[in-house]
Amino acid sequence: IYLAALLGNGLIITAVASDHHLHTPMYFFLLSLSLLDLGAISTTLPKAMSNSLWHTRTISYMGCVSQVFFFAFLMSAEFCLLTIMAYDRYVAICKPLHYGSLLGSRACVHMTAAAWGSGFLNALLHTTNTFSIPLCQSNAVDQFFCEIPQILKLSCSHSYLREVELIVFSACLFFVCFVFIVVSYVQIFRAALRIPSQQGQHKAFSTCLPHLAVVSLFISTGMVAHLKPPSISSPSLSLVIAVVYSVLPPAVNPLIYSMRNRELKDAL
């Protein structure tokens, strides 16, 4: 799975960077998404694979801090970028005459930088807060990588409630992004259905459906991981769900984007 993710995302990055036909806002955002996917899967899987190969279950304290920070940073930035990509598709289909002015090269760079910057600040806040809490239950994280909910279980003081409040605040911000994506797609589908030619409708849907599939995969796996009721929780189920939400999207995203994209296929 890791090699497939490296190959898929690496091919997309190479194709977009080297083919001048793909130097458009949509593919610029796709290149950035592939970079985030590569980073996210490289944060968790290599350490898990090395532990498996050497039959150990250890990670250093700073290694754990790094995993929490980079995973939170890359996943937060990815969701922000998916929100920007929804806006890109909205402008392309609902306001095509304004596309060049609203999504020029400078605007694309600024929006991408804002997504990465937002992810960085969110991760810095959560990581600093999580590791400032005294941990005294044990030093065993019940997961194949360090994640905030599992670390909070090791806390022995009520100060962990600060981090819970921070998680709720971040969840509210992500909900606002989710609402923006939904509203954008409602407008996109309304505009696409008004296109008189069937070929025009097909082209509009073919550029939007891969992004919608990636967003659905990202949100659904994240919701299953973090909103499942405690009554159905078990170590093996938690492991499977963690693999699904942390490993599956980065590995599958390149496949989703390249399956029906003729321009990308030609560049590859």
Side-chain angles (χ1 to χ4, degrees):
I1 291 171
Y2 184 56
L3 289 175
L6 288 180
L7 180 64
N9 287 294
L11 284 174
I12 286 179
I13 291 166
T14 305
V16 174
S18 60
D19 194 321
H20 70 277
H21 293 108
L22 301 183
H23 292 176
T24 63
M26 184 176 84
Y27 292 106
F28 175 73
F29 294 137
L30 181 56
L31 182 146
S32 186
L33 182 70
S34 292
L35 285 171
L36 290 169
D37 281 336
L38 270 181
I41 201 166
S42 297
T43 300
T44 57
L45 275 195
K47 179 60 180 173
M49 288 191 294
S50 70
N51 278 359
S52 178
L53 287 169
W54 297 109
H55 303 290
T56 65
R57 297 188 63 179
T58 59
I59 186 170
S60 67
Y61 182 80
M62 286 311 298
C64 191
V65 173
S66 300
Q67 272 198 343
V68 167
F69 173 77
F70 282 108
F71 190 72
F73 161 46
L74 294 161
M75 295 305 260
S76 302
E78 182 162 336
F79 192 60
C80 293
L81 189 67
L82 289 172
T83 308
I84 292 167
M85 291 171 81
Y87 174 71
D88 168 64
R89 294 298 82 209
Y90 164 74
V91 175
I93 292 170
C94 300
K95 298 184 177 181
L97 298 177
H98 299 282
Y99 190 77
S101 58
L102 290 174
L103 284 157
S105 56
R106 184 171 294 191
C108 290
V109 170
H110 287 169
M111 286 191 284
T112 305
W116 285 66
S118 300
F120 179 85
L121 290 174
N122 185 55
L124 188 65
L125 207 59
H126 281 290
T127 306
T128 305
N129 208 30
T130 299
F131 287 95
S132 67
I133 298 167
L135 309 175
C136 63
Q137 299 285 357
S138 72
N139 63 347
V141 179
D142 190 23
Q143 194 53 271
F144 76 96
F145 68 100
C146 289
E147 61 174 352
I148 292 172
Q150 297 297 334
I151 293 169
L152 291 180
K153 289 180 181 179
L154 309 180
S155 171
C156 54
S157 71
H158 291 293
S159 55
Y160 77 92
L161 291 173
R162 285 182 308 169
E163 176 58 20
V164 172
E165 290 168 1
L166 202 56
I167 290 172
V168 171
F169 176 71
S170 295
C172 292
L173 292 180
F174 286 139
F175 181 73
V176 171
C177 291
F178 173 70
V179 170
F180 180 85
I181 292 171
V182 170
V183 171
S184 296
Y185 270 98
V186 168
Q187 298 296 323
I188 286 168
F189 288 138
R190 286 177 62 188
L193 291 172
R194 287 200 297 266
I195 297 173
S197 69
Q198 194 169 357
Q199 187 178 359
Q201 286 186 6
H202 176 74
K203 187 178 179 181
F205 283 122
S206 66
T207 60
C208 293
L209 290 178
H211 176 256
L212 193 58
V214 168
V215 170
S216 302
L217 181 67
F218 186 88
I219 292 173
S220 59
T221 54
M223 286 177 68
V224 168
H226 294 107
L227 299 180
K228 68 181 188 302
S231 58
I232 62 167
S233 183
S234 69
S236 57
L237 181 64
S238 296
L239 179 65
V240 171
I241 290 172
V243 169
V244 166
Y245 96 91
S246 64
V247 173
L248 195 62
V252 174
N253 286 355
L255 186 65
I256 294 172
Y257 269 108
S258 60
M259 262 173 35
R260 298 185 63 184
N261 191 314
R262 185 169 294 279
E263 289 179 325
L264 200 55
K265 284 180 183 176
D266 291 343
L268 288 170

